[in-house]
Amino acid sequence: MKTKPDPDSLLGHLVELRNRLLRCVIAVLIVFAALAYFARDIYALLAEPLLAVLPEGTSMIATDVAAPFFAPFKLTFIVAICLAIPYILWQVWQFIAPALYSREKKLMAPLVFSSTLLFYAGIAFAYFVVFPLIFAFFTSVAPAGVTIATDISSYLDFVLKLFFAFGLSFEIPIAILLLIWSGSVTRQALAEKRPYIIVGAFVLGMLLTPPDVLSQTLLAIPMWLLFEAGLWLSRFYQPKTDEPSQEQEP
């Protein structure tokens, strides 16, 4: 007779991890299936910031035969992952929560929730603020006689890189809070390194964005401001102590 693995054993943890990963995959597939019918509309919404500033008489093109089919579905799958992030993080939380002390749970729960909102905020900032500015700039500096006709696959790769860069950069306050809470660094030490942080923000902006000064600056300045926000919020978080909690969740 087949016995159920002990949940406290290594095999039990691996089985639970597998089950939660399967739930995450199923959740993404369900969201993707619900959005697949609207794939073309989703891509049209993504292309709106560029189409709004293209010169009259020009449009986007597809240089690959299969691009008109695969590009919208690729975007839809990524959108499905983004929409399923709260559920994915919930499954991650359910997996690690039993190993945390009560004080750690009270700290991590709001951080998981706020990190999700910050990631969405980074994507929204890129779409509503950055895209209109950089696309208007790019189209305005095109040399005379050059017809702007952006490939839909290239455009998708471009905006996804920016979405990832801005979504990741908006997690800076969470990273600072975790570093200070874990004792890896102090708030005073970070404040003293502010000039280096600002330079590092512009270097990361150069590495994470396409090679143009405008998008690099639009990423570096929010990163610096988010660093200041995380530094200010860190005064409300006490560093982690080495004393074990009186009780640990089973």
Side-chain angles (χ1 to χ4, degrees):
M1 183 177 180
K2 189 175 181 180
T3 58
K4 187 177 180 180
D6 184 1
D8 294 329
S9 65
L10 176 60
L11 180 59
H13 288 307
L14 292 177
V15 171
E16 183 182 2
L17 177 61
R18 181 202 63 184
N19 293 337
R20 297 198 179 277
L21 288 176
L22 287 175
R23 292 173 187 171
C24 294
V25 172
I26 292 173
V28 172
L29 293 178
I30 291 175
V31 177
F32 174 75
L35 296 177
Y37 179 78
F38 307 99
R40 296 174 60 185
D41 297 328
I42 294 174
Y43 192 93
L45 182 64
L46 181 70
E48 181 59 30
L50 177 61
L51 295 176
V53 296
L54 283 178
E56 187 177 356
T58 60
S59 62
M60 300 179 69
I61 62 173
T63 57
D64 189 7
V65 176
F69 174 81
F70 284 110
F73 279 98
K74 177 182 177 181
L75 172 62
T76 304
F77 183 74
I78 295 174
V79 171
I81 295 176
C82 292
L83 293 179
I85 281 180
Y87 180 79
I88 295 173
L89 291 178
W90 170 254
Q91 291 297 321
V92 173
W93 172 254
Q94 290 293 308
F95 180 73
I96 66 174
L100 299 177
Y101 293 105
S102 299
R103 181 174 179 270
E104 293 173 336
K105 288 182 179 179
K106 294 178 181 178
L107 174 71
M108 294 301 296
L111 288 183
V112 170
F113 176 76
S114 58
S115 64
T116 305
L117 293 181
L118 285 173
F119 185 79
Y120 288 153
I123 294 177
F125 180 81
Y127 183 82
F128 292 105
V129 178
V130 178
F131 287 179
L133 292 176
I134 62 174
F135 292 153
F137 172 75
F138 289 157
T139 55
S140 64
V141 298
V146 175
T147 302
I148 301 175
T150 305
D151 177 66
I152 60 174
S153 297
S154 300
Y155 175 78
L156 178 60
D157 294 338
F158 178 85
V159 297
L160 288 180
K161 289 178 182 178
L162 287 181
F163 278 153
F164 176 78
F166 279 90
L168 189 63
S169 66
F170 270 59
E171 301 292 337
I172 289 177
I174 304 299
I176 291 176
L177 292 178
L178 289 176
L179 287 173
I180 294 177
W181 175 77
S182 64
S184 301
V185 69
T186 63
R187 183 174 179 273
Q188 293 74 15
L190 283 177
E192 293 173 357
K193 295 180 173 60
R194 181 179 283 106
Y196 304 100
I197 297 296
I198 297 175
V199 174
F202 280 89
V203 173
L204 284 176
M206 178 184 64
L207 296 176
L208 294 177
T209 60
D212 65 276
V213 178
L214 184 59
S215 59
Q216 294 169 10
T217 304
L218 289 174
L219 177 61
I221 292 178
M223 289 176 65
W224 169 44
L225 297 177
L226 289 167
F227 165 77
E228 298 293 343
L231 202 62
W232 181 79
L233 289 172
S234 64
R235 66 178 62 189
F236 302 106
Y237 282 80
Q238 297 297 327
K240 181 182 178 181
T241 60
D242 295 333
E243 298 179 0
S245 302
Q246 295 180 355
E247 61 176 3
Q248 183 178 14
E249 298 295 333

